[in-house]
Each structure stands twice: as structure tokens, then as C-alpha cells.
Amino acid sequence: MSQKNYDFGLVGLGVMGRNFILNVADNNFSAFGHDLDEEKVNSLIQEGGDTSRVYASTDAKTFVNALSSPRKIMLLVPAGKVVDIVIEGLLPMLDKGDIIIDGGNSFYTDTDRREAYLKEKGIHFFGSGVSGGAKGARKGPSIMPGGDREAYKEVKPIFEAVSAKFKGEPCVAYLGNKSAGNYVKMVHNGIEYGMMQLTSEIYDLLKKAGGLSNEELHNVYTEWNNGRLQSFLVQITSEIFAQKDDKTDGMLVDKILDKAKQKGTGKWTSQNAMDLGIPVPTIDIAVSMREISALKEERIQADALYGRPTPAPIDKNELIKMAEEALYFAFINAYAQGLAQLTDASKEYNYELDLSVIAKIWRAGCIIRAELLEDISKAYVANKDLKNLLLSPLFVDKVQSTVPSARALVSYAAKSGIPVPGLSNSLTYFDAYTSSRLPLNLIQAQRDHFGSHTYERIDMEGIFHTEWE
């Protein structure tokens, strides 16, 4: 290695990091990697081929000295203390004006803390969400940077080159102040949790009530992916049903244990929404269902104790039609909830988010990419102050035409003992949000009755309390 002016540095050469740095090199920027694992370093050098374009080292000093000024260093390491440890290790070797980018799923308050800390030392720092998994990192992810605007300008040409493209437009944009990038990625992941839960519930209904084989499920999801449900998650679901098991006979999906793990971003979305007072019930229940799935032994015991109704006979084609409409309805609600959270968070944390731009950079590369996002972006272009997607004229007909199937399917599932909490929570959210009158007047009366918490009236201004008999 003779070159001393590599354009871009990356710490953390796991699958995501290695693929991202190779993507950078493919787009005519030289890149230098760093990892303490010598095997990962050698693997990158070998795969990169041209050492003037891609190189790596286990030595931090060699890594830092190889980068052109201002140094642009991206971290793709596990969120939490590891990020702070890496930063502290690099700091003594950096110069004022150098840039550190956290590309992991860091909690947004950690990003704010790190930005303030490094600013005092003359180092630029910003968080940047990266979505698309390992394949996305290699071929083009959706990238969500926020924070130091001037620092982002230095990295912008690289990020625009490596990002996914939708009709030629890069799926990356500066999103806003402070931890905006990490926050948007967190909510992206929350929406992802909801959409994955909804997709799995529809699969369960089609299999248990409709008796669809894996081949039929593959064909149904493939057809859906060619229509208005076109999305990455529907696409890969169709592919999953066609995957044979390489260890035994049969299809792989039937051999996978029904215990879903999680890394925490969905939970963070749900917790923060509660802090902000924003309802995201589809995301909430998606997190809870992963927790319920972990109780496998208890579920087996409970299943033996309680009877379950036999699903009533239903026409297979009618079920498939209702399922498509219900899933479309629920997807809209999942996006609506997440985007409403972003709208409120933008005001609360002074992010200055543009929801139309966020929807645009989600159209390709990321896990929740879908045809719907084109219309979602248009909805926020038409009204930048739109408080909820359900209030957009562009979505009224879409929802009105599909909500009857959601109602019918939730009812059928309940009578059949098939759990569809994501779908039912989406329907409940819709019904509550579109109700001008809710029974919460009774709750306020109860609170005042037992705790003198007061209430407001519909017929006069003021705060009231009653001495209840």
C-alpha cells in the first residue's frame, strides 16, 4: 500500500461494512478500512483487488494516516458503548475539521451527546441511518444522514454515488438537525416491524383458513408484488415460500422455529412514541408479538389447555382477495403511524424534517421500500403541514375501498381463533382516529371521581371538578 490519500475510511469490516466499502470503491472513490480482526482485513483486501482503490489495516494509526483531509470516517460497528470506544481510540490521531459518521443503529440521544462532545474538540460528527441489509450496502442502500450540514456536504458526493437510485434519483438526502438521521432510521425500523408482522399474519390466515400450500403462497405473494402491494417485504416473502430446505425434505419456511428476535429499534420507536404521546399501535403490537413469540414453551402448554375453534369454511379466492385489500389497508396505516411520529418528533426535537423527502429516499434501497411511497411523497408535497397520512385526499379512496375487507378479515380471524393483532390494531387505530367522539369522557369522569383530576366540558370553557356522590 503506497497511496496516502484515500477518499473515505470505514471502521468495522463485518458483512455490512465490507459491502459498503466495496460499494464506495465501485463508484470510483478510494476507500480504506479498519478492523481489529486480521481475517476481515485480509478478506477485504483480497476481494477489493486493486489496492490503490481499496485497502485495510488492523492498525488504527495506519488507517488514519492513509486518509485525505478532511478525513471522512464512517463507523459501522454495534450501537452502544462500542461506538464510544472507537471514537476515543481515533480522537488522538485526528485533526480539527475531520469527520466521523455513525452509520449504525445508534439511539438518537447518544448521537446528540456525541455530536456535542466532538464539536468541543473541533471534530465534525453526524449520524446516518443505512437501510437495505448486506445486499443493499453492496449494491445501493437508502441512506439517512442528519446533523452537521457542512460536514455532510463533504461526504455528499460519495453517499449520492453509493446509494440506491429510484428513476435515477439518489435515495439519500440531508434530513435535518442533530440526530435527525438516526431518529428517522429508528422510525423506519419501527414501520418495518409493523409491516413484517402484518405480512406474517396474512400468511397465517391464508395457510390456516385457506389451506394454501407453499407453492400457492409463493404465487399469491408474487402476484401481489406485481400490483399495488409491490414492496421489498412482499417480494422476499414470495421468495421464502419457494425456498427448499437443504437439510431435509420439504420447504425451509416450515422448519423455522416461530421465535422472532429483535435488536431494539422497534422497541425504541414504540417507547419514544409513548413519550411524545403519539399513537403507533401497529408498531407497538409488532414489538409485543416478538416478545410473545419468545414464550414458546409457555405457548405450547397454553395451547394444550384451551380449545380453539375450527375456521369456518371460506372460499379460497375470496379469502385471497380480502387478504390483499386488508394488507394494503394495514400497510397504509403502518406508514401513517410512523410518519405521524416523525412529524411530531420534528417539532419536539427541532429536526426540521421534510416528510416528502424522507418518503422519496425510502422508495429504493431500504427494507420498507414500496410502490406506496411514491404517493406518500406526493401527499406531503401537496401539503407539507400534513399531520397524518389518513388526512390526505390522495389516500381517502385507497382506505375507503379496502377497509371493508380489513373489517371482514379481523372478524373472521377472531371467530376462527387465528391471532391477527397487527391487522386488528391497524383497524382499531383507523376507527379511533376517524371517530369525532370517543368514550374517553367516561375515563375523565372516572379520574375526577377517584382522584379529583378534573375534566373539561363540551359546552363551556374552563376546568371543572365535581364532588361525586
Side-chain angles (χ1 to χ4, degrees), residues 77-375:
V77 298
K81 292 183 180 179
V82 176
V83 177
D84 295 307
I85 291 170
V86 172
I87 289 172
E88 289 302 323
L90 293 173
L91 262 179
M93 296 175 278
L94 299 181
D95 298 323
K96 288 186 176 181
D98 285 346
I99 302 163
I100 297 177
I101 308 145
D102 183 5
N105 285 326
S106 288
F107 193 54
Y108 70 98
T109 56
D110 288 338
T111 300
D112 289 332
R113 170 178 57 81
R114 289 166 185 146
E115 182 186 32
Y117 170 70
L118 289 169
K119 187 175 184 179
E120 293 178 354
K121 300 181 180 300
I123 304 298
H124 299 291
F125 177 85
F126 66 89
S128 181
V130 179
S131 178
K135 289 182 180 178
R138 186 70 180 86
K139 298 298 182 180
S142 174
I143 309 176
M144 298 159 245
D148 192 321
R149 187 187 291 270
E150 294 306 310
Y152 173 66
K153 288 179 182 178
E154 294 285 341
V155 184
K156 181 180 178 182
I158 298 175
F159 276 14
E160 288 191 344
V162 303
S163 70
K165 307 297 185 296
F166 183 86
K167 296 179 180 178
E169 291 184 59
C171 289
V172 58
Y174 175 82
L175 296 183
N177 303 314
K178 303 187 297 182
S179 54
N182 284 125
Y183 190 93
V184 169
K185 177 56 163 53
M186 178 187 79
V187 174
H188 164 285
N189 285 19
I191 297 170
E192 175 186 313
Y193 271 56
M195 293 175 70
M196 291 174 74
Q197 175 63 32
L198 292 163
T199 309
S200 71
E201 290 175 11
I202 294 298
Y203 146 67
D204 202 32
L205 269 169
L206 293 175
K207 187 178 180 69
K208 290 178 179 175
L212 272 71
S213 66
N214 286 318
E215 183 180 358
E216 288 174 312
L217 288 164
H218 164 71
N219 292 335
V220 165
Y221 276 81
T222 299
E223 184 178 345
W224 287 353
N225 191 55
N226 290 326
R228 61 182 175 180
L229 276 173
Q230 188 281 320
S231 59
F232 174 72
L233 287 171
V234 171
Q235 174 195 329
I236 66 168
T237 301
S238 73
E239 294 168 0
I240 287 167
F241 293 127
Q243 181 68 47
K244 292 181 179 180
D245 185 14
D246 60 356
K247 294 179 171 53
T248 63
D249 293 334
M251 307 306 285
L252 179 58
V253 68
D254 297 325
K255 307 294 171 58
I256 297 175
L257 184 65
D258 56 329
K259 286 172 64 173
K261 294 180 172 62
Q262 54 184 319
K263 291 186 176 180
T265 45
K267 180 183 70 175
W268 292 346
T269 305
S270 183
Q271 289 174 330
N272 180 253
M274 289 187 180
D275 291 339
L276 293 173
I278 297 298
V280 291
T282 305
I283 297 169
D284 293 339
I285 199 63
V287 175
S288 294
M289 284 303 292
R290 295 199 187 190
E291 293 162 349
I292 290 174
S293 79
L295 307 175
K296 178 66 173 179
E297 292 184 7
E298 294 176 44
R299 289 191 288 116
I300 292 172
Q301 293 175 34
D303 193 10
L305 293 174
Y306 298 94
R308 188 176 303 277
T310 301
I314 186 169
D315 181 79
K316 186 185 289 188
N317 292 327
E318 180 62 23
L319 177 63
I320 291 170
K321 179 179 181 294
M322 285 197 301
E324 188 273 343
E325 292 177 355
L327 186 57
Y328 188 71
F329 165 84
F331 272 10
I332 291 172
N333 275 268
Y335 283 120
Q337 292 167 37
L339 292 165
Q341 182 170 346
L342 288 177
T343 298
D344 199 75
S346 182
K347 297 172 184 174
E348 181 71 20
Y349 305 132
N350 193 32
Y351 286 149
E352 299 180 1
L353 300 177
D354 185 330
L355 276 291
S356 67
V357 170
I358 293 170
K360 277 187 175 183
I361 67 171
W362 284 350
R363 291 177 301 175
C366 72
I367 303 301
I368 64 170
R369 62 184 184 263
E371 184 179 281
L372 264 170
L373 286 159
E374 183 78 355
D375 284 338

